[in-house]
Amino acid sequence: MISAQRPNVTERPWLDPAAKPQIVLEGIGKTYGAFTAVGSVNLSIYKGEMFALVGASGCGKTTLLRMLAGFVTPSAGRVVIDGVDMTEVPPYERPVNMMFQSYALFPHMTVADNVGYGLKRLRLDGATRQRRIDEALEMVQLGGLGARKPHQLSGGQRQRVALARALIRRPKVLLLDEPLSALDKKLRESTQFELMDLQYEVGITFVVVTHDQDEAMALSSRIAVMDRGAVVQVGTPAEVYEFPRTRFVADFFGTANLLEGTVAAAEPGLVTVRCADLGCDLYVDDAGRVQVGERVCVAVRPEKVQLSKSPPAGERRNRLKGVVWELGYLGSRSTYQVKTAGGKVVTAFAQNERRTLDWSIDWSDEVYLSWDANAAVLLQA
Ligand code: ATP
C-alpha cells in the first residue's frame, strides 16, 4: 500500500549506527498505585518518521504518547527530544503538539478561529496570524472554508481542521491519538494517504497511536507493538508482519495459524517440528537456533497456505489433509477453515482471481493444505 518513493520508508535511519534519533525514551514508565500502565520502555524515533504505537485496548499506548506530550508525568525514566531532556518541561514548552482523538474543535468558533487557537500563546499581530491560518488551511486543503463552523464540515474535513490546528505552531513532532477513528472505513483509507502525503510535505515526525493494525501497517515507517505496558517488538510493517518475534505479535497483526509441536530435527536452514495435533511433521526454514525436544510454535499466515483437491507436489513441502469446515466469501478473497484429522482447524485465504458464482472448493470437500518451509516462522511455544 505504501508508495516506494516515500522517503519515510526508503530512508532507514534506524539502520545507520551514526544516525542520531530525534526522540529517545529512556526507561520510561508510569505506575498508578500498584498498577503499572507502562513498564520500562526504551524507544528511539528518528526525524521524519511516521511511527506507530499499536496494541490492544489498555496496553498503555495513550499513556506513553501523553508522557511524550508532557500531559502525564512519568514515574521513571526520561524523555529526550533533539538531545534536550524534556522530562520536567511543561507541555506547551515542548517542541511537540498533539492532535486528539475527538479533534476537540470548539463548536461555536469558525474553522479559522479553531485553527488560529493553536497560535494563542504566541501573541502574533493580526496580519501574521491570518497569514499563518491561511497557510495552515491551504496545507490541509481547506482553503476557502475558514468562515464555516465545524458542524458545517464533513468528518474528514473536521479531522483536517484539527490537523491544521496542531501543525500551525510548526512543532518538531506531531502526536496523533487515533487520528482516523472517527471516520468511516472508506474515508479512513483515503485519509490515510492524505496524512502520509502531508507528513512527507511538512517533514515533521509523526507519532501515531492506533489500535487498528491495518492502519498502522499502511501508515507507518515503523511500528512499536505494545502488550500490557511493554514494547514487545519494534520494526517496519513488513518486519512485524512477516517476522513476528512472539506469538502475541503474530496473532495481533493479521491472522496466523499457530501450530504447536516439538523439534524433531534442527539442521541449519531447516527445522522439523513434530505436531501431535496434526499427526505429521512440519518443516520450517529457520537458522536452527532451537534444540531437539524443545516445544515450539509454527506460525503460518493464511494467505501463504494453498488449497487444492489433489495432493500438492514438492519436496519437504508442508502438506496436510482436511475437510472444509467453514467458508466465507469476502469479495476479493475467500476464507476457508479446514478441519484436519486431529481436529485442529487451519485457516487459508484464497484470492478470488476470476469472476464466478461457484465455489471451486466447497463445504465438506476433502482438501490438501500446503505451504513452503520458508512461509512459516518458528516462535516460542
Ligand atoms: P485504549 O486503546 O483503550 O485507549 P491504551 O492502550 O491507550 O488503551 P492507556 O489509556 O494508556 O491504554 O491505559 C493503560 C492502562 O492504564 C489502562 O489499564 C488504564 O486503565 C490505566 N490508566 C490510565 N490512566 C489511568 C489513571 N489516571 N489512573 C489509573 N489507571 C489509569
Side-chain angles (χ1 to χ4, degrees), residues 32 35 37-38 55-64 101 178 209 211:
Y32 293 105
F35 177 73
V38 173
S57 180
C59 70
K61 334 179 263 301
T62 303
T63 306
L64 194 59
Q101 197 169 354
E178 302 276 2
V209 155
H211 67 275

Side-chain angles (χ1 to χ4, degrees), residues 14-294:
W14 53 91
L15 297 180
D16 176 3
K20 283 214 160 49
Q22 183 181 31
I23 303 169
V24 179
L25 301 180
E26 272 178 23
I28 199 98
K30 181 68 188 174
T31 51
Y32 293 105
F35 177 73
T36 301
V38 173
S40 180
V41 165
N42 294 298
L43 271 183
S44 294
I45 301 173
Y46 293 82
K47 188 172 181 313
E49 273 205 78
M50 177 82 100
F51 192 92
L53 298 171
V54 180
S57 180
C59 70
K61 334 179 263 301
T62 303
T63 306
L64 194 59
L65 196 75
R66 286 173 165 268
M67 287 196 277
L68 198 44
F71 298 129
V72 169
T73 308
S75 314
R78 295 200 314 152
V79 175
V80 179
I81 301 177
D82 278 338
V84 180
D85 188 341
M86 291 283 151
T87 320
E88 302 296 326
V89 176
Y92 54 87
E93 284 178 14
R94 296 187 184 201
V96 303
N97 213 343
M98 185 141 166
M99 192 187 102
F100 294 95
Q101 197 169 354
S102 59
Y103 309 152
L105 300 181
F106 299 112
H108 59 286
M109 282 190 193
T110 63
V111 164
D113 286 341
N114 264 289
V115 173
Y117 194 81
L119 295 172
K120 215 169 161 229
R121 285 176 181 275
L122 300 188
R123 300 185 197 288
L124 301 174
D125 64 76
T128 311
R129 182 175 178 277
Q130 192 55 49
R131 185 174 47 75
R132 294 271 293 264
I133 292 171
D134 291 343
E135 276 171 14
L137 287 175
E138 282 300 326
M139 192 160 59
V140 296
Q141 292 150 37
L142 287 180
L145 298 188
R148 291 209 193 159
K149 296 275 178 65
H151 75 270
Q152 295 169 315
L153 298 177
S154 70
Q157 288 168 330
R158 277 199 288 271
Q159 188 255 8
R160 283 187 263 151
V161 175
L163 259 179
R165 186 178 58 190
L167 287 169
I168 199 166
R169 285 198 32 205
R170 301 169 186 158
K172 288 183 179 171
V173 179
L174 184 64
L175 309 174
L176 304 106
D177 190 359
E178 302 276 2
L180 307 176
S181 63
L183 309 178
D184 64 46
K185 189 174 183 301
K186 200 88 193 158
L187 188 56
R188 211 158 56 211
E189 281 169 13
S190 58
T191 311
Q192 275 171 12
F193 288 103
E194 283 178 19
L195 200 60
M196 288 157 74
D197 287 340
L198 181 70
Q199 192 253 350
Y200 173 42
E201 267 167 46
V202 295
I204 291 172
T205 310
F206 280 25
V207 183
V208 184
V209 155
T210 176
H211 67 275
D212 181 335
Q213 14 144 331
D214 292 336
E215 189 170 295
M217 283 204 271
L219 280 177
S220 337
S221 54
R222 286 189 305 155
I223 298 171
V225 187
M226 295 186 68
D227 181 25
R228 286 165 290 170
V231 169
V232 290
Q233 186 166 351
V234 180
T236 62
E239 282 166 353
V240 169
Y241 186 79
E242 301 290 358
F243 301 95
R245 286 218 203 102
T246 65
R247 286 177 68 136
F248 172 81
V249 177
D251 208 25
F252 185 77
F253 271 91
T255 312
N257 291 296
L258 300 172
L259 310 166
E260 284 186 21
T262 305
V263 175
E267 300 157 26
L270 196 73
V271 171
T272 307
V273 179
R274 192 140 297 160
C275 292
D277 279 1
L278 299 171
C280 69
D281 286 352
L282 297 179
Y283 306 107
V284 187
D285 184 349
D286 188 87
R289 288 153 299 164
V290 285
Q291 304 292 319
V292 171
E294 198 176 323

